[in-house]
Amino acid sequence: MSVAPSGRTAQDIQGWLVERVAGFLELTPADIDVRAPFQHYGLDSMEQLRIIGELETWLQLELEETLLRQYPTIESVSAFLAKAG
């Protein structure tokens, strides 16, 4: 199991992202498909930047502004971040 420098696993990061995306969209976490592209949910660039900023704080990592375009699903970004560092 990969663990980010913050000690967070891919599963931890995925759960955090599901909660945030669901919150932005006023959905329940069960409504979020971790394999669906972020674009599927209609998150605009400002919302994506806000998620990245909150994620930086939570993980204590500096992240690229393009992270959610490079890794376009919750599943892929979580796996990447768990290995980052």
Side-chain angles (χ1 to χ4, degrees), residues 14-47:
Q14 186 170 293
W16 187 94
L17 282 166
V18 165
E19 290 285 334
R20 288 307 178 280
V21 171
F24 272 99
L25 301 173
E26 298 180 4
L27 299 171
T28 66
D31 293 325
I32 303 300
D33 179 354
V34 298
R35 293 186 179 114
F38 288 104
Q39 288 180 332
H40 171 78
Y41 294 107
L43 293 172
D44 66 28
S45 58
M46 292 305 294
E47 290 168 324

Side-chain angles (χ1 to χ4, degrees), residues 6 8 16 20 49-63:
S6 64
R8 310 285 185 183
W16 187 94
R20 288 307 178 280
L49 287 174
R50 214 166 119 202
I51 289 170
I52 291 169
E54 291 177 13
L55 191 54
E56 281 184 320
T57 300
W58 186 65
L59 291 175
Q60 300 177 1
L61 284 175
E62 188 172 330
L63 303 173

